Amino acid sequence: MSIAGKVVVITGAGSGIGAATAELLAGQGARLVLGGRRADRLEQVAARISGESVGAENAGGENTGAENAGGENTGAENVAWAVTDVRRREDVKALISLARNRFGRMDVLVSNAGVATVAPIETLTDEQVDDMIDVNLKGVVYGITAALPVFREQGGGHFVQTVSTSGLRIVAGQAIYAGAKNAVRTISEALRQEAGPSIRVTAVSPGMIRTEFVGERPPESNPDGVATWDQVQEVAIDASAVARAIAFAIDQPDDVDVNEIVVRPTAQG
Ligand SMILES: NC(=O)c1ccc[n+]([C@@H]2O[C@H](COP(=O)([O-])OP(=O)(O)OC[C@H]3O[C@@H](n4cnc5c(N)ncnc54)[C@H](OP(=O)(O)O)[C@@H]3O)[C@@H](O)[C@H]2O)c1
């Protein structure tokens, strides 16, 4: 199986890279399970996906109101979604259960949810520090621990984690964010070795990508040495560039494990 028919779970799927990846993979025949905190965003992405491949009338569907997740949609043939906060282990487990209940299996987990506050450590609030670690690091670990038994049982699977070039070209103001992303990079390599011959592990490092992630960053949060908001907007590239990289990794034969991909704007310094 390449992309067509695969069941792909994506966190942070309501916007940016996650949404672009979901739509690209759906266009190539994958079945998608979308997670994120904003139900309206997930619903919009699901509607676009099901509209593309099974007709707009299937985009709706019943909201089954999962107790722990606050909402999920299992209406369309090729896409389901559930409100998911990756800081909550139970939410991540519930998202994976949704994939299995709805489609009978899960082939790929794209752990893509992420948050960043660009500022020197001493000016970050405790909440901002916790959030960057809880979402970017612990949220990914929750995905790994929940999905690994499923992949073992199925005899295969694929972890894709969205990390960052922040962890490759390390600059002031991104200490906690880059640290959390690099922790995921480290975990990915050990996971690759532990997972054995049938489970693939891919860490994708986007550079500056034009999403809400970049768009919402206030100029005054950029410390010296970090590109300003305006500079970021100028060089940032479309989220579809990262989506294509993720699709490339998933599309490889089962015995080909693409472990690291870096996708930067050519103009990024
Ligand atoms: N844009 C860039 O320049 C860039 C560069 C390098 C790496 N990245 C990484 O790429 C990934 C995707 O970011 P993006 O650029 O596509 O920005 P984005 O549009 O802001 O996407 C981030 C997604 O994460 C979700 N999210 C945040 N906290 C969450 C939580 N606690 N539980 C579940 N979902 C949560 C958000 O949805 P809700 O708010 O609805 O939950 C949102 O859909 C992130 O991991 C980011 O670190 C981005």
Side-chain angles (χ1 to χ4, degrees):
M1 217 195 296
S2 54
I3 288 175
K6 277 192 173 158
V7 177
V8 183
V9 176
I10 304 180
T11 67
S15 62
I17 293 167
T21 303
E23 290 178 50
L24 180 69
L25 295 176
Q28 297 183 18
R31 294 169 288 173
L32 275 302
V33 178
L34 316 175
R37 292 168 303 175
R38 290 167 295 176
D40 59 330
R41 294 303 197 89
L42 298 173
E43 195 166 23
Q44 286 163 15
V45 176
R48 288 201 294 272
I49 285 173
S50 52
E52 270 170 21
S53 51
V54 293
E57 69 276 11
N58 291 321
E62 200 175 321
N63 185 324
T64 59
E67 265 177 35
N68 61 338
E72 69 178 38
N73 180 309
T74 56
E77 273 179 28
N78 64 339
V79 58
W81 57 265
V83 171
T84 307
D85 186 335
V86 300
R87 293 170 298 187
R88 291 164 47 100
R89 194 190 290 269
E90 291 311 308
D91 279 17
V92 178
K93 284 183 178 172
L95 189 66
I96 289 169
S97 295
L98 172 62
R100 300 190 85 195
N101 293 338
R102 179 69 182 78
F103 298 116
R105 59 185 292 113
M106 173 181 62
D107 299 293
V108 186
L109 173 61
V110 183
S111 291
N112 168 75
V115 292
T117 304
V118 178
I121 294 173
E122 61 196 338
T123 68
L124 291 171
T125 65
D126 290 346
E127 193 188 11
Q128 288 168 332
V129 170
D130 286 351
D131 243 27
M132 281 191 275
I133 292 169
D134 291 348
V135 177
N136 298 322
L137 172 54
K138 290 174 75 177
V140 176
V141 174
Y142 294 158
I144 292 169
T145 53
L148 203 44
V150 177
F151 289 165
R152 291 272 188 237
E153 189 188 314
Q154 290 177 179
H158 191 170
F159 290 102
V160 178
Q161 350 261 26
T162 310
V163 289
S164 176
T165 57
S166 299
L168 298 173
R169 186 176 188 276
I170 295 161
V171 295
Q174 299 185 356
I176 305 296
Y177 175 70
K181 290 293 188 182
N182 272 356
V184 172
R185 195 187 310 277
T186 301
I187 289 166
S188 298
E189 170 56 17
L191 175 66
R192 182 190 72 77
Q193 295 175 34
E194 291 177 15
S198 58
I199 296 175
R200 305 191 291 176
V201 184
T202 304
V204 179
S205 294
M208 294 170 185
I209 309 299
R210 197 175 301 111
T211 65
E212 292 169 22
F213 205 72
V214 171
E216 283 180 359
R217 186 179 300 164
E220 62 273 19
S221 74
N222 293 91
D224 288 347
V226 177
T228 64
W229 185 85
D230 283 341
Q231 287 166 337
V232 169
Q233 292 290 339
E234 213 169 286
V235 302
I237 54 174
D238 196 77
S240 59
V242 185
R244 288 195 300 273
I246 292 172
F248 170 81
I250 295 173
D251 201 29
Q252 298 306 305
D254 284 349
D255 61 351
V256 177
D257 193 3
V258 177
N259 300 129
E260 287 262 8
I261 306 180
V262 181
V263 184
R264 279 189 183 95
T266 312
Q268 182 172 331

